[in-house]
Amino acid sequence: MEKRVDIIGAGLAGSEAALQLAQRGVAVRLFEMRPLKQTPVHQSGKCAELVCSNSLKSTKPESAAGMLKAELHALKSELLEAARESRVAAGGALAVDRDVFADGVTAKIQAHPLIELISEEVEHLSTTADALIVASGPLTSDTLTRALREITGGAHLAFYDAAAPIVMADSLDMNRLFRQSRYEEEGQGDYLNAPFDKRDYDAFIEALRGAERVVKKDFETRELFQACQPIEEIARKGHDAPRYGALKPVGLINPQTGKRPWAAVQLRAENAHASCYNLVGFQTNLTFPEQKRVFRMIPGFEKAEFARFGLMHRNTFVDAPRLLGSNLRLKESAQSSAKFPSTPIFIAGQLSGTEGYCEAMMSGLIAALSVYALLSNKELPALPQETAFGALLVYASDPATKDYQPMHVNFGLLPPLETTIKNKQERYRAFAARGEAAMQDFSAQLKKSELLVDNLDSLDNLEGREFSL
């Protein structure tokens, strides 16, 4: 196959995509602006450099993170192998020596005869390649961001996360919550409400005002729209300020008391089957441990589990539900006004709105499979929504997804089981077993169409049940 693909960004997604395509005989030009032009957080010019934690999360098969690793293994992820080769002790998590990991990935890329690693900042998206994968990451340069805006439009390209926390529905005490929209009768409405009495509200606000915030770096400071003000900043403006904003009780009647609560946190379902809820108006800059401590003071949240913590930081990403298909390809409607509408463009990594290290690897892998299928005139089956990453793709590419924010894999995104299982651990094991079966079927389809190559034999002898598929 005499085809060439250009990839912008040699992070986790770009590096995985480059190796996957090269393994399939496709020539790749991999562009990385580092070290010629650094970001505020990177330290080197190495491929796949980790800039935050060195943990790739849990390896337990019955966890969403463990499911994702099993899926990466099933699809022969090159970076998963590199992670195992650089593994350090971390209990039930897969953690790596970040330098050994980056060195290993860089060596793989530099050694492959079909990959040309180019140290150069890409300033536009025009290319003579047969396809383009943009995986430039959350700190995409200003120049490339302007080029992206020409295609996506300013309304579909975000520059900062301003996300409220998301909690798992099954971790909430529903006996303390009530369902009601403002000014509607008891038992109706689309929102869950957590009612405060005055004593609990006073304690919550004091804890909120004194909680530890994330230490902002220079590149994270900015002016915020009023609607995006952190809830703790609103509380600092006045003890009762949240009661006139996100926590206003107006129009609500607590059916347990027959009266209007002193204040109320409203929760909006994050998906169609209401397995997780968004805390409306709770954008926050608190540290993750403080979010867990303080937000568990909300009535009914005493044992709350978070599918996503709130955050506010620099993070360039596209409005995936409006722009991307489930194969991570930019929709034709989004490219129609571009100067190069004939070049297939795919977006991977955090730029597509997937959050997390392994999520970035998988998005690069799926983008590579999508490109290879396109160049080979083959049909790539959809990744089943019963898998961890398949569920994330459905969320990220569904036009019905509103106020899109980056998300990592979690059980809240998975479709419900056919049979209700009340025990949480048993339910998670059932999710994992169902996902494993779906992934086996998906892998078999790829092998039958010769889209999956057996290039990672060293992963066949994994210890225990880790990544089992």
Side-chain angles (χ1 to χ4, degrees):
M1 177 187 292
E2 294 182 1
K3 300 288 186 178
R4 192 192 83 224
V5 174
D6 285 352
I7 300 176
I8 304 174
L12 296 170
S15 296
E16 182 73 61
L19 289 165
Q20 291 293 333
L21 286 167
Q23 287 285 3
R24 290 163 171 78
V26 179
V28 173
R29 291 197 307 177
L30 179 59
F31 294 87
E32 174 53 59
M33 69 179 185
R34 297 178 291 111
L36 297 179
K37 183 175 182 179
Q38 287 288 14
T39 74
V41 296
H42 286 86
Q43 303 295 321
S44 73
K46 298 175 184 178
C47 300
E49 178 186 341
L50 304 182
V51 298
C52 296
S53 169
N54 70 325
S55 174
L56 277 63
K57 297 185 178 179
S58 177
T59 61
K60 295 180 180 179
E62 65 275 11
S63 69
M67 282 182 65
L68 180 55
K69 290 175 182 63
E71 293 162 17
L72 283 165
H73 167 49
L75 298 183
K76 315 296 183 184
S77 166
E78 293 276 1
L79 266 65
L80 180 63
E81 181 188 38
R84 285 190 56 80
E85 291 174 348
S86 56
R87 187 172 190 168
V88 297
L94 174 60
V96 302
D97 181 312
R98 65 181 72 234
D99 291 325
V100 174
F101 174 71
D103 287 340
V105 175
T106 303
K108 281 190 177 191
I109 286 174
Q110 292 177 333
H112 205 293
L114 290 180
I115 300 177
E116 181 184 5
L117 181 59
I118 303 173
S119 296
E120 177 183 315
E121 180 185 3
V122 176
E123 298 182 344
H124 52 77
L125 296 178
S126 60
T127 178
T128 58
D130 295 286
L132 173 66
I133 297 176
V134 185
S136 47
L139 296 176
T140 296
S141 69
D142 293 340
T143 304
L144 185 56
T145 295
R146 286 193 291 271
L148 278 168
R149 191 188 292 116
E150 291 181 3
I151 298 177
T152 64
H156 297 304
L157 189 65
F159 297 99
Y160 291 90
D161 279 340
I166 294 175
V167 293
M168 304 293 292
D170 61 8
S171 69
L172 301 176
D173 183 355
M174 293 298 178
N175 292 324
R176 304 195 65 185
L177 309 181
F178 64 92
R179 182 173 296 279
Q180 191 180 120
S181 293
R182 289 192 171 92
Y183 301 109
E184 292 189 353
E185 295 179 5
E186 177 184 338
Q188 296 183 0
D190 296 327
Y191 292 87
L192 282 179
N193 299 274
F196 279 104
D197 59 24
K198 186 176 185 304
R199 183 188 64 180
D200 288 343
Y201 175 82
D202 290 345
F204 174 73
I205 293 300
E206 288 306 309
L208 186 62
R209 295 170 72 170
E212 182 181 357
R213 291 172 289 175
V214 176
V215 178
K216 286 189 174 183
K217 298 182 179 180
D218 290 341
F219 73 96
E220 291 175 337
T221 58
R222 63 194 165 94
E223 293 293 326
L224 290 169
F225 292 111
Q226 187 65 33
C228 291
Q229 288 289 323
I231 186 68
E232 63 272 13
E233 295 301 326
I234 295 174
R236 288 188 180 92
K237 293 179 179 179
H239 186 83
D240 285 325
R243 294 182 62 235
Y244 293 91
L247 275 70
K248 65 181 179 182
V250 177
L252 298 174
I253 298 296
N254 185 347
Q256 295 181 5
T257 64
K259 299 179 181 179
R260 188 173 78 179
W262 184 256
V265 176
Q266 284 210 305
L267 310 176
R268 181 181 59 242
E270 187 67 19
N271 50 36
H273 38 276
S275 59
C276 50
Y277 283 85
N278 186 293
L279 277 68
V280 178
F282 264 64
Q283 292 88 355
T284 180
N285 196 38
L286 298 185
T287 65
F288 290 176
E290 287 289 78
Q291 288 184 49
K292 183 182 293 186
R293 178 183 69 85
V294 175
F295 295 155
R296 281 182 172 174
M297 296 175 67
I298 298 171
F301 278 57
E302 291 79 7
K303 297 181 180 180
E305 295 181 7
F306 293 82
R308 181 188 72 197
F309 288 107
L311 44 81
M312 284 188 163
H313 62 81
R314 169 75 183 271
N315 189 6
T316 303
F317 62 97
V318 301
D319 187 4
R322 257 54 65 185
L323 297 176
L324 301 183
S326 59
N327 61 352
L328 297 177
R329 182 176 177 178
L330 196 65
K331 294 178 181 178
E332 291 184 6
S333 58
Q335 246 182 287
S336 60
S337 62
K339 299 176 182 178
F340 42 96
S342 61
T343 304
I345 299 178
F346 297 77
I347 297 181
Q350 285 192 252
L351 189 63
S352 68
T354 59
E355 186 79 33
Y357 290 154
C358 288
E359 287 85 345
M361 295 177 193
M362 182 62 95
S363 70
L365 203 161
I366 294 298
L369 286 175
S370 300
V371 168
Y372 184 69
L374 177 68
L375 299 183
S376 305
N377 295 314
K378 297 179 179 180
E379 183 176 351
L380 178 68
L383 187 62
Q385 64 176 337
E386 292 81 9
T387 62
F389 198 76
L392 182 58
L393 281 181
V394 168
Y395 169 81
S397 60
D398 183 358
T401 299
K402 304 298 183 183
D403 301 322
Y404 181 63
Q405 290 288 342
M407 179 76 81
H408 55 73
V409 297
N410 63 82
F411 286 126
L413 296 176
L414 292 168
L417 298 165
E418 292 184 4
T419 302
T420 301
I421 302 176
K422 292 185 178 181
N423 182 277
K424 183 168 60 177
Q425 293 306 316
E426 291 180 5
R427 184 167 65 254
Y428 289 174
R429 282 193 290 269
F431 277 135
R434 185 184 66 176
E436 180 176 354
M439 197 65 195
Q440 286 177 338
D441 181 64
F442 179 71
S443 300
Q445 293 181 61
L446 295 186
K447 290 178 181 178
K448 185 176 181 179
S449 58
E450 298 182 335
L451 291 173
L452 185 61
V453 295
D454 292 324
N455 58 309
L456 291 184
D457 293 336
S458 61
L459 282 178
D460 291 339
N461 299 314
L462 295 174
E463 299 175 0
R465 290 190 61 234
E466 284 187 358
F467 319 150
S468 62
L469 271 173

